[in-house]
Amino acid sequence: MKTGEDANRAAYCPVPERAARAELERMLDDPRFHGTERHRKLLRYLVDEFFAGRSGAVKAYTIAIDVFARPSSFDPATDPIVRVEASRLRAALAQYYEALGDEAAVRIELPKGNYVPLFVKAEDGSPRSLPAPPTVAHAAPDVALQIEAVVARSAPRQMPVGKLAMAGLGILVMAAAFYAAVPIQFPWQPVLSEKPTVIVDVKAASTIGTGQNNRAGDDLVHALSQFSSVRTLAQDPVAGVDVAAVTGWVAPKAVVRLAGSKEYRLSIDASVAKGNLELAWQVVDPQSKEALRSGAERAPLSPGDAEEIQQALLVKLARVLAGENGVIISLEAARQIAEPSLGYGCVLQANMALTRSDGENLSGALSCLERSLAYRANDADVSASLAMVLVATGEAAASPVVGNRALKLADRAVALAPQASESYVAQMMARFAAGDSEAAFLSGQRASALNPLDEAISAKLGLLQYVSGHWLEGVRLARLAEENAEYLHHDAALTLALDAYRERRYEEALLRVRQLANASDHAVNLLRLAVAGQLGLTEEATSALDEVRALKGGAELSLLPGPLGRGYAPELSALIEDGLGKAAVGLAGHL
């Protein structure tokens, strides 16, 4: 942290963090503090954000979502809850410390006009001028306020008018120069991350020949560059492919490093042994030189088809590395848990929650993405992820305002990154939630064309096709995704479970939904309950009903509005309702 930033932060907290947090806990446990549970939660949140270095991003909107559980459609202009509760918290703090007198060695205050807590030593209780609170964007009025504060602190009380004007002019010039030199004026900077960078390094020596090995590097760069989850670089210019046109990130001499992007070096070596073509690979951390992951892809080699087999192995390797649960994504997920960040870190958190239908982590990702958008309004990945989360939580389908926002975010992502498949996946989901299924399918087809290697796109598109009544196309895409995937893909498996149920193959449907068992997955739990009803399995139905109730509350057995609820074809919806009705009859004693 820079010296200036340390000084600014120290102005708000001149005591050690441990002492400040100790005062917070002591006060919250003190019966003489008459703050409500809302006030306690708000104060703890503001203190945690302060010491996490994120006070610059705390606004009425983020407080409403994170503290008061307001929906993402919250509008501070029409709902004054944050302003009112912050004002009441200030009054409660003032009343508490007034009653406490000299007992407290440290006081916690909340200055008007911002949400940055102030920690004051008991011996330093006199009013002080503070630096301007953290801001997110460059704004001329904020600069003017900062300059005004500087003048107020610097000017003598009886300075003559002429000298005051000259001093003010000089300070104005210096402040303007300082402002121009600092890109964003925060007391401390948030941690902002970028998608990981994969540097492809192909060994020159090979038993299959230099030309074939060079081609392996070209093909792998091309395959990896189709995945929106990574940034791909070739170590050296390679022949036979215009890497700049494919990736957009190639330097002729040295690797281009992007601030906030973790680098991984991918080393591959192609060889022929015992009639098999083998691609050995290793992922290395360029800084520590640590070998993070390694493996090999093999296939029997027939005369004359070495190049075709090699290309198939490279496509498989690209999926293994950069796919939805790929090696690089897994490494980044582990790093995000250890070192949370905004930007790509929030995108990664959202993707993992979407993959696992994890409602709790979706809520956390929603807040994280909203903050990232405050810092990076033109980040296509953040906009696309936020749109998908709004759809996945069901808010976009339940609220026209949220649905319209999700669609605008997805459209903006497409405009910012027209060659990124994730932008079109977000647009597909937002359009489907808005009820425009045909437009949604066009977006999904565009996403699939941009990255035909990503089976997750086929799986998502197939599920939307199927629930809309396009049975054959939905099953075809689901089986395609299942065939190419290295693991069980949720959307493909759900499509095939729905198809088994619609075709009255209930045992197969039950097996598939059991494989997808997830307490927070409403669609899977409803289908499981319907299957149990059709088969007369009381114990299975009881378990599924408990999951539905825990998630949605109440005892109503129906297709409640959600990510897919509104888009179900009448025939499929009626069949599921039939199963739910039979389950209700069988569980009459439990309802």
Side-chain angles (χ1 to χ4, degrees):
M1 184 177 291
K2 297 179 182 177
T3 304
E5 293 171 350
D6 284 334
N8 247 358
R9 183 168 180 170
Y12 280 86
C13 186
V15 298
E17 178 180 348
R18 180 177 296 180
R21 287 190 178 275
E23 170 58 19
L24 172 67
E25 299 302 327
R26 186 198 64 76
M27 183 188 67
L28 294 180
D29 290 339
D30 193 334
R32 290 172 291 181
F33 177 63
H34 299 298
T36 65
E37 187 59 34
R38 274 185 173 181
H39 298 153
R40 296 168 187 274
K41 189 175 180 181
L42 173 58
L43 184 59
R44 186 181 295 279
Y45 171 80
L46 295 177
V47 171
D48 287 344
E49 293 301 286
F50 177 87
F51 286 113
R54 295 190 293 262
S55 278
V58 174
K59 303 296 179 187
Y61 182 84
T62 56
I63 292 174
I65 292 176
D66 293 349
V67 180
F68 301 133
R70 287 297 195 264
S72 59
S73 57
F74 171 79
D75 183 358
T78 59
D79 187 345
I81 182 172
V82 177
R83 176 170 49 81
V84 170
E85 294 300 332
S87 178
R88 290 174 178 171
L89 174 58
R90 291 187 184 98
L93 289 171
Q95 182 181 11
Y96 172 71
Y97 284 113
E98 183 179 353
L100 205 62
D102 297 332
E103 290 184 36
V106 177
R107 295 198 318 271
I108 304 175
E109 299 176 1
L110 187 61
K112 291 184 178 181
N114 66 82
Y115 300 108
V116 183
L118 172 65
F119 304 85
V120 182
K121 293 181 180 178
E123 66 271 16
D124 189 25
S126 58
R128 297 179 296 132
S129 297
L130 292 171
T135 57
V136 171
H138 297 189
D142 293 339
V143 179
L145 289 174
Q146 294 178 34
I147 294 171
E148 181 181 347
V150 172
V151 173
R153 291 196 298 269
S154 304
R157 293 184 179 180
Q158 303 298 326
M159 181 177 286
V161 176
K163 291 184 178 180
L164 181 61
M166 291 299 293
L169 180 61
I171 292 172
L172 179 63
V173 172
M174 288 187 291
F178 174 76
Y179 181 78
V182 181
I184 304 177
Q185 290 193 349
F186 298 109
W188 51 91
Q189 289 285 353
V191 178
L192 292 165
S193 57
E194 299 280 356
K195 66 180 63 175
T197 298
V198 179
I199 305 168
V200 177
D201 179 10
V202 181
K203 292 185 178 180
S206 171
T207 59
I208 63 173
T210 303
Q212 188 75 2
N213 224 31
N214 284 342
R215 185 62 189 174
D218 298 351
D219 290 341
L220 185 56
V221 167
H222 177 75
L224 286 172
S225 68
Q226 296 183 57
F227 288 87
S228 301
S229 56
V230 298
R231 172 178 176 258
T232 313
L233 299 177
Q235 183 185 23
D236 298 305
V238 292
V241 64
D242 185 356
V243 181
V246 173
T247 68
W249 296 100
V250 166
K253 294 183 180 179
V255 170
V256 178
R257 285 177 167 77
L258 185 64
S261 175
K262 173 66 177 178
E263 291 183 2
Y264 298 93
R265 187 174 298 278
L266 172 62
S267 175
I268 63 171
D269 184 21
S271 62
V272 176
K274 298 181 180 180
N276 289 322
L277 178 60
E278 178 178 296
L279 288 179
W281 58 271
Q282 187 177 62
V283 177
V284 178
D285 186 327
Q287 283 73 46
S288 66
K289 308 301 181 185
E290 178 185 3
L292 302 173
R293 297 285 176 85
S294 62
E297 306 297 331
R298 301 179 183 86
L301 187 61
S302 301
D305 62 357
E307 184 174 348
E308 182 178 344
I309 292 175
Q310 178 173 282
Q311 287 178 345
L313 289 178
L314 289 168
V315 165
K316 184 179 179 181
L317 176 56
R319 289 192 177 110
V320 168
L321 294 169
E324 198 169 59
N325 285 334
V327 169
I328 301 297
I329 306 306
S330 298
L331 291 170
E332 285 292 286
R335 199 165 69 93
Q336 175 66 13
I337 293 173
E339 302 173 5
S341 64
L342 298 182
Y344 175 76
C346 301
V347 172
L348 184 63
Q349 181 183 351
N351 289 346
M352 300 300 285
L354 287 166
T355 300
R356 298 167 185 171
S357 298
D358 187 337
E360 183 178 347
N361 281 331
L362 276 175
S363 298
L366 178 64
S367 174
C368 190
L369 290 166
E370 292 284 12
R371 294 179 188 175
S372 297
L373 201 64
Y375 288 98
R376 291 179 172 172
N378 294 326
D379 190 314
D381 292 329
V382 169
S383 295
S385 289
L386 182 53
M388 287 190 279
V389 169
L390 290 174
V391 172
T393 57
E395 292 187 41
S399 166
V401 174
V402 179
N404 186 54
R405 182 173 183 235
L407 190 54
K408 287 184 176 180
L409 285 166
D411 289 344
R412 181 165 180 77
V414 168
L416 290 169
Q419 296 301 313
S421 58
E422 285 298 295
S423 299
Y424 288 94
V425 170
Q427 192 179 60
M428 173 182 70
M429 294 176 65
R431 284 177 168 178
F432 191 85
D436 193 349
S437 59
E438 293 305 317
F441 299 154
L442 289 175
S443 296
Q445 289 161 8
R446 175 60 175 161
S448 185
L450 285 169
N451 187 3
L453 306 184
D454 190 351
E455 70 283 344
I457 298 174
S458 299
K460 287 182 173 68
L461 177 57
L463 178 59
L464 298 187
Q465 290 268 12
Y466 193 87
V467 299
S468 300
H470 302 277
W471 319 123
L472 294 179
E473 180 63 9
V475 169
R476 184 188 72 81
L477 290 171
R479 294 207 181 280
L480 179 64
E482 187 180 54
E483 178 184 347
N484 292 328
E486 298 290 327
Y487 54 91
L488 180 69
H489 194 284
H490 173 277
D491 292 346
L494 179 55
T495 299
L496 297 175
L498 286 167
D499 186 61
Y501 180 85
R502 191 182 69 86
E503 295 290 338
R504 294 173 172 77
R505 302 192 308 272
Y506 298 128
E507 289 80 7
E508 178 187 341
L510 181 61
L511 177 61
R512 289 187 177 276
V513 293
R514 280 176 174 172
Q515 291 175 326
L516 291 170
N518 184 333
S520 63
D521 196 325
H522 181 59
V524 168
N525 287 322
L526 278 178
L527 181 58
R528 180 183 168 208
L529 184 56
V531 173
Q534 298 289 2
L535 292 173
L537 302 177
T538 304
E539 186 175 343
E540 187 84 30
T542 302
S543 175
L545 178 61
D546 289 342
E547 300 290 3
V548 172
R549 282 176 167 173
L551 184 63
K552 292 291 184 180
E556 181 182 5
L557 301 181
S558 63
L559 283 171
L560 301 175
L564 298 175
R566 289 184 177 180
Y568 274 53
E571 177 188 337
L572 183 60
S573 179
L575 286 171
I576 294 177
E577 294 286 358
D578 178 63
L580 294 177
K582 291 178 180 178
V585 171
L587 293 172
H590 298 267
L591 297 177

